[in-house]
Structures are given as structure tokens and as C-alpha cells.
Amino acid sequence: MGRNPAGRLSDLRPLRLDTVAALGGLLIALVLFPLRFLASQVYLDTVPVILGTACILYLVCLYQRQQTTDDARLTLPSQVTMSLPTLVLLGLAGLIVLTVLEGSRTVRFFALASVVGTLLVGQILFASDRDFNARLLLLQVVLFALVFRGTALYATPGFIGIDVWTHMGLTEQIVTEGRVGAISHDKHYASPFYHLLVTASSMLFDVSLRSALYLTLGVVMPISVLLVYAGGNLLVSQRWATLAAAVYALASHVSMWGLHLIPTSMGLVFFLAMVYALLRVMRIEYTTRDFSLLLLSSVAVILTHQVSTFIMLVLLLAAFVAQLVFEIGPLGLARLDTSVFRTKRPVNLVGLVVFNVGLTIFVWSLTPYRQQSFLATVLSYFRQTVEESAGFLNIASGSGDDAAEAGAAEAATTLLDQVVPYVEEVGFLFLLGATFVGCLYIVHRRRAEQSVFTLLLAAAFMLVFVMGFPMFGIHTFIPNRWFAFLYAPMAILGAIGLRTLDRGLAPALVVVVLLLFTLVYPGAMIVASESNIDNPVFEDHHEQLAYEESELAAVGSIGEMTGSPDGSEIRPYQGLYTDHPYQTLFSRTGAYPSTDIATVPEGGTADHDYVVHRTTAANQAVYFNNADGAGRIEQATADRLCGPNQATVYTNGDVTMCTPSPSTD
């Protein structure tokens, strides 16, 4: 007893937090494993396995205690390393040529993109220290991101996605009236940075709003991956920081917000700037300029997008909790190993947290939304969800698209239907496994510090919103919007995790792990549905969120033909019905506000007076409602929407509008 006068738990040498955490992770994986028998959900089936595997690999690292040097590890010959950038550039040129020749990003495009992504990641992981060139690799990463997204924007008429049509309509209102007050009825009136950027760019460059959007946010999104590199390089060497940037650039949800350019995309850019500024403030002797960048980035997020703001507050909460951990000092976490991370006192973030929370509450209280303030509406939705829908393993209690996808999943019958959801999540699961290893590495008390603990806690909190709350039927926080933000801390932690395995495992096992990641991760992320919303790889399982020229022309023509009536002018029986997502195009462009998803009973026909059918609905995945009102993927020919007692009042060959025949009135 006299040997431990301080009585501190951290002075007991047998206690290692990383070992305890790894064993605890194994126990949690074993506890979660049986949940697969209670509910069918891809994360319930896979995450326990990934968590257990990550913990086992980390424990193997601890027991083997390898110190793999560049001479011992497998590296590419210099001639191969020097030739790979040329192959990557040729591959990128091939992607452009394929898009021009085929008119869209086809399966061949995504196959070639997967190969290029593998070559890119392979350079980072297997180039020798002598041949490693961070600048050249970062150039390839940015060019890949630009080409992969830019080709989709180039080949797609109009815009990609659903919400973007609403935001372009709001931007047009600002341009028409010349003032932000033109959208005072909308919740984005209090967060207008996106709309002002597009408006100002259109006027400055003298181009259309579409071109202005692509020349600004469309270009900035791919370049913003450099912020992940900059933040990662504050913690690890250039090789692993470059890997973090590449991992982030390839991530499916990140690609999606580079295609579907809305305020979420802009909020993501400011969020990445904030992550970098936060890490910089925690890692160096920061100046007023550094803290000003952190403050301005947080304010910019608040004035850009509400969901991004909430995610930003979660990041700040993680940073504040990390501060408390190191100031209070439980388990002696303040004892740092300066050979791993530089020693630095925790940064006081109380003022920043209070300021941002206060500003957010103030702005949301003034934001109009659904006849109330945005704050009151969100709190009301959350309370209603908890009271009516919340319940353990109540996974399929979402609404809108989530409910439709859940219904489609339940109807899956073929082997391909069952395999596709897992194929599309493989990339995320690989990164999640690397993230788990990175988290285990940094919880060692000699390596822990505020910056890496902030990333750990931020990733943990976000995973609760992404996977935890939906497990209880709570979808109020729109979990699908969180993934791109979650990938930022995951990319850096994942790079730390792979670095740990690279240094700790036996060379043969290192080769297996890194080669498997190189071969699987890029392709898995590229074929995931979020990366190809303009032209889905699995076209029978996901709807296409882009339209042909004829489909866009039909919306405009039908709007002109009907006079684009105001919602109050449309009688209940005059609602227009078509497939999803095409129905959103009518309502969000103002062509015909009263539009909904057509009800097409299985094996039967629709029973609506006013319908629109497009040929896409007969050969691609679109959504219709069944007799119970649940959305499902269904292919329907024109005769299942337009009945014999209806007259065709518009057609352009690809889109047909039917109304009650005058003879039946």
C-alpha cells in the first residue's frame, strides 16, 4: 500500500486503457451479435463482426509488438510507383471520354473509376518512403474528385437530386426581386449563404444560376478534401494524412453532396474548415487568426444550413467533453507521450460553445417553418416521434423515402436483392473497422490528448444519431444527412488505425490487411447508391435522381398547359399523380404544386383522374404506392396509369399526361 501513496488508478502499471477498451469492445460485439436474430438490418448483422475483428487485430498488435520498417514492409518498386500517376491520369481521361461517348456515367464508368481509385489508394499505402510524394498524390486525389463528380454534372440536364430544385427556385426569387426578403416565407431566410453565393456568382460571372452553382460550390466541394489532409497532418505524417484525404474523397455520401449541390454541401465545406481549425487550435500555440477561423467557420455553418448546424454543435460538444476529461484528469489521461503527440494543455472552449449554442437558438427562434419557428417545430416533431414511434428495434418507423426503402427491403426475394444492401455498405464497414482500431490506439493514456479525443467523441456521438436513434425508431434528426460529416473524423481516425496495424502487425498480415483495404474500399464506395444517384449501378434497386431533357421539357409544358395553378386553386380531385421521384419535380419547380405518388396496386392499375407516366417508369426503378399506401419499387407501363376512360392531353414520346375523357364527364 505504501508503494502507491497518491492512490491514483493511473499509477497501476497493469491497467492499460487500450487493452481494457479492446476487451470491452469484444464483449460488446458478443452482446450485440444476437440482435441479428431479433431484427433484419444491415448494421445489426455487420457492425458486431466489424467491431470484434477490429478489437482482435488491435490485441494482436499489442502481443506481436512489431515495429515494421520501410525495409521490412511490402513496398512497390520505384519504377512502378513512378508510373502509377500516369496510369491514374490516363484513367481519369478515360472517365471523361466514356462520359462524353455514352452520354452518362454508365457501369463501365464506375468500373474504371474503381480501378483508378484502387491505384490511387495503392500508391499511398505501398509507395516506399523514398518514392512517396504527398503533393503529387494530393493532386491526384483532387483531380479524381473533380472528374468523378464533374462528369455527372456535365452529362446531366438540369440538376441532380430533389432538394436542389427547391433551392434553385428560392434563388430565382431572390434574383427576380433583388432582395433576400423574397424568401422570407421559407426557413432558409435565416440561413441564406447558399442562395446568396449562387446569386452573386451568377451576376459576377454573367452566367446562368446552374452554371454559377457548378462553378462555385461544384468546384469547391472536391477541393475541400484538402482540409481533411490539413487536419490529419496535424496528427500523423503525410502518408497517413494523404490516406485520410483519399478515403474521404472516395466516400459515397461525400460524393453525393458533390452531385446534389444544396446547402448541406456548403455546410459540409464549412464543417471541414471548422474541424481543421479546431484541430489546429488544439495542436499548436494558436494565434488570434487561428481562433478567428474557428469562430467564423462555426458562424458560417449556422447561416448556411440547420442540420449542418446541429452536427456542428455535436462536434463542439465532443470537444468540450474532451476538455473536461483532460482538465479533470480521470485515470491520469494528462500524461502524454511526446514521441507520439505533442504535449499541450487543453484549450478552453466554454466561450465558443456558449456563443454558438446561443446564436443557434436565436437564429432558429426567428426562422419561419411550418407556421411556427424552426426551433418550436423541430422540438414538436421530436416529442411526437418519441411519443408515437419510438421503441427498441423499431427500425422501419421512418417516413418518406426511408419508409419506402424499408418496404422495398422487406419485399426482397432474390439473392441479388438480399446481397445488394451489404455490398453497398462494405466501404463504410471497412472504414468503420479501421476507425475502431484508431480509437483503441488513442485511448492509451500515453497517446491521448484533447484533439484526438475530440475526433473519437465526435465520431461516437454521430454514430449514435446515425445508427443508434434509428434503431429506436427516431428519425427526426435525418440520419442520412450525417454520414458525410461523420466521414471526416472517421477518415482521420481510420488512417491512424491503419497506421497502427501497419506498425504493429507482422509484415505478412499487414500486407493482407492493407491490400484488402486497397482492393475493396474504393470500389465499394463507388458502387454504393449515394455515389451514383445520377445513374444507379444497381438500377433495379434504386431510383435515378436525374432526368432526361424530354422529362424536364414535359414538366415545363404541363406547367404552361395547366397555367401552373396555385395550390389553393386546385380542387381535391385535380391532384396530379405520377411516380417518385418524378412527382417531386412538378411540385418543387412550381409546375403543378398538388402532386403525389400514384397508387398502383400489385398486378393492378391506378385509379386517378390526372396522371403522368414516363417511359422510365416501365424499365427502371421508381416508387409507387401499393394499396396500403406504402411505397415500393415497381415498374409500371403506361396502361397501368392511363385507363381506357382517360384521354391523352400531352405526350412527347417519353412523357404522357392523361385526364378524364370528356365523354365520361
Side-chain angles (χ1 to χ4, degrees):
M1 295 178 60
R3 295 181 181 179
N4 188 25
R8 290 184 52 164
L9 194 58
S10 62
D11 294 330
L12 298 176
R13 293 179 59 84
L15 179 64
R16 285 189 50 164
L17 292 181
D18 55 340
T19 306
V20 173
L23 294 174
L26 270 176
L27 180 61
I28 292 173
L30 291 174
V31 172
L32 293 177
F33 188 81
L35 292 179
R36 64 176 58 213
F37 304 112
L38 302 178
S40 177
Q41 208 264 358
V42 61
Y43 295 136
L44 289 180
D45 293 339
T46 55
V47 170
V49 177
I50 295 298
L51 175 59
T53 303
C55 292
I56 291 172
L57 285 175
Y58 185 75
L59 290 172
V60 171
C61 284
L62 295 182
Y63 279 100
Q64 290 187 344
R65 298 182 182 277
Q66 298 284 333
Q67 291 297 324
T68 306
T69 62
D70 194 47
D71 294 332
R73 67 195 297 271
L74 176 67
T75 58
L76 296 171
S78 296
Q79 296 87 342
V80 175
T81 302
M82 295 179 66
S83 64
L84 284 179
T86 302
L87 292 178
V88 169
L89 292 178
L90 289 175
L92 295 178
L95 294 177
I96 296 174
V97 171
L98 270 177
T99 304
V100 172
L101 293 179
E102 299 186 338
S104 65
R105 301 193 308 169
T106 61
V107 173
R108 281 185 288 270
F109 175 97
F110 295 114
L112 178 58
S114 299
V115 173
V116 174
T118 295
L119 294 177
L120 185 53
V121 175
Q123 289 181 70
I124 299 171
L125 289 176
F126 294 105
S128 65
D129 290 341
R130 182 182 64 257
D131 298 327
F132 185 83
N133 188 328
R135 292 185 178 180
L136 180 59
L137 285 165
L138 287 173
L139 176 62
Q140 295 175 63
V141 170
V142 172
L143 288 177
F144 179 89
L146 281 167
V147 171
F148 186 76
R149 296 130 187 224
T151 47
L153 300 178
Y154 163 79
T156 304
F159 302 99
I160 300 173
I162 294 177
D163 293 348
V164 63
W165 296 95
T166 297
H167 293 292
M168 285 298 101
L170 295 173
T171 305
E172 288 178 0
Q173 294 177 34
I174 294 177
V175 172
T176 301
E177 297 191 21
R179 60 190 184 91
V180 182
I183 61 172
S184 59
H185 61 284
D186 188 85
K187 67 178 181 178
H188 295 94
Y189 175 61
S191 50
F193 270 16
Y194 169 93
H195 310 87
L196 292 178
L197 170 69
V198 178
T199 300
S201 301
S202 176
M203 297 172 64
L204 179 64
F205 301 136
D206 192 24
V207 295
S208 66
L209 294 177
R210 178 176 181 268
S211 298
L213 176 63
Y214 292 172
L215 289 173
T216 52
L217 195 55
V219 173
V220 170
M221 279 296 293
I223 297 176
S224 66
V225 302
L226 294 177
L227 292 169
V228 177
Y229 168 81
N233 199 31
L234 293 169
L235 301 172
V236 292
S237 64
Q238 287 186 329
R239 180 190 299 273
W240 304 104
T242 304
L243 177 65
V247 163
Y248 188 78
L250 287 164
S252 56
H253 284 80
V254 178
S255 295
M256 179 178 68
W257 298 123
L259 304 174
H260 188 194
L261 296 167
I262 60 174
T264 302
S265 309
M266 192 171 179
L268 181 59
V269 173
F270 289 130
F271 177 84
L272 294 179
M274 188 175 174
V275 170
Y276 165 69
L278 196 58
L279 291 176
R280 183 175 176 83
V281 164
M282 292 177 178
R283 294 287 292 152
I284 68 172
E285 296 299 328
Y286 64 89
T287 63
T288 303
R289 181 184 62 183
D290 299 317
F291 203 85
S292 297
L293 174 61
L294 177 59
L295 179 62
L296 290 175
S297 299
S298 63
V299 173
V301 174
I302 294 173
L303 297 178
T304 300
H305 188 232
Q306 286 85 9
V307 176
S308 304
T309 299
F310 190 83
I311 299 173
M312 178 266 293
L313 293 179
V314 170
L315 173 66
L316 284 180
L317 174 63
F320 178 65
V321 173
Q323 174 192 337
L324 294 181
V325 168
F326 287 94
E327 285 184 344
I328 297 174
L331 304 179
L333 288 177
R335 288 177 11 183
L336 305 180
D337 186 349
T338 54
S339 66
V340 181
F341 296 126
R342 292 190 294 272
T343 304
K344 191 175 184 297
R345 291 182 60 83
V347 178
N348 189 348
L349 298 172
V350 176
L352 182 66
V353 172
V354 171
F355 171 79
N356 279 282
V357 171
L359 180 60
T360 299
I361 293 175
F362 174 75
V363 172
W364 286 6
S365 298
L366 299 178
T367 301
Y369 189 54
R370 302 286 178 87
Q371 314 303 322
Q372 301 183 80
S373 70
F374 181 81
L375 181 62
T377 302
V378 169
L379 292 176
S380 175
Y381 279 171
F382 180 70
R383 182 176 63 253
Q384 182 179 356
T385 299
V386 172
E387 292 175 352
E388 299 179 3
S389 304
F392 183 57
L393 296 183
N394 190 16
I395 296 171
S397 62
S399 59
D401 296 344
D402 291 335
E405 292 179 8
E410 291 177 1
T413 55
T414 68
L415 178 62
L416 182 62
D417 292 332
Q418 298 172 16
V419 169
V420 165
Y422 294 91
V423 171
E424 295 186 323
E425 296 296 340
V426 165
F428 169 72
L429 294 172
F430 264 63
L431 181 56
L432 184 64
T435 300
F436 284 147
V437 176
C439 291
L440 292 173
Y441 178 83
I442 65 177
V443 297
H444 190 295
R445 66 171 55 84
R446 296 176 62 191
R447 304 170 188 140
E449 67 159 23
Q450 186 184 12
S451 60
V452 287
F453 254 58
T454 295
L455 296 177
L456 185 155
L457 292 172
F461 293 163
M462 290 184 192
L463 284 171
V464 170
F465 285 92
V466 167
M467 293 191 292
F469 285 159
M471 189 180 297
F472 291 87
I474 299 175
H475 299 261
T476 309
F477 302 101
I478 318 178
N480 196 51
R481 298 287 180 101
W482 289 64
F483 277 98
F485 298 83
L486 169 63
Y487 279 135
M490 282 184 65
I492 299 175
L493 291 171
I496 294 175
L498 290 176
R499 169 181 174 266
T500 301
L501 298 179
D502 178 64
R503 294 186 173 187
L505 294 177
L509 194 52
V510 168
V511 171
V512 173
V513 171
L514 297 187
L515 191 59
L516 193 61
F517 187 88
T518 301
L519 294 175
V520 174
Y521 179 81
M525 282 297 188
I526 286 172
V527 302
S529 60
E530 293 80 14
S531 293
N532 43 76
I533 58 175
D534 58 308
N535 193 16
V537 172
F538 302 108
E539 58 182 13
D540 293 332
H541 296 79
H542 298 286
E543 71 275 29
Q544 182 179 20
L545 298 180
Y547 307 98
E548 302 294 337
E549 288 280 8
S550 59
E551 295 171 339
L552 297 176
V555 173
S557 298
I558 292 173
E560 293 178 1
M561 185 175 64
T562 59
S564 297
D566 187 83
S568 59
E569 302 174 1
I570 302 175
R571 298 175 182 177
Y573 67 87
Q574 292 178 323
L576 189 65
Y577 293 87
T578 185
D579 67 83
H580 176 85
Y582 198 43
Q583 55 96 9
T584 65
L585 193 58
F586 285 90
S587 57
R588 291 175 182 261
T589 58
Y592 203 94
S594 183
T595 311
D596 205 346
I597 306 176
T599 297
V600 183
E602 188 171 352
T605 59
D607 184 21
H608 303 295
D609 289 336
Y610 298 85
V611 296
V612 171
H613 176 270
R614 55 176 178 150
T615 55
T616 297
N619 50 49
Q620 293 185 18
V622 296
Y623 281 98
F624 289 105
N625 287 335
N626 60 20
D628 297 327
R632 76 190 190 287
I633 291 179
E634 177 82 359
Q635 294 179 346
T637 54
D639 59 344
R640 296 184 65 188
L641 268 76
C642 294
N645 295 326
Q646 289 178 297
T648 299
V649 296
Y650 171 85
T651 184
N652 63 8
D654 291 324
V655 180
T656 301
M657 180 179 180
C658 299
T659 63
S661 175
S663 60
T664 62
D665 288 347

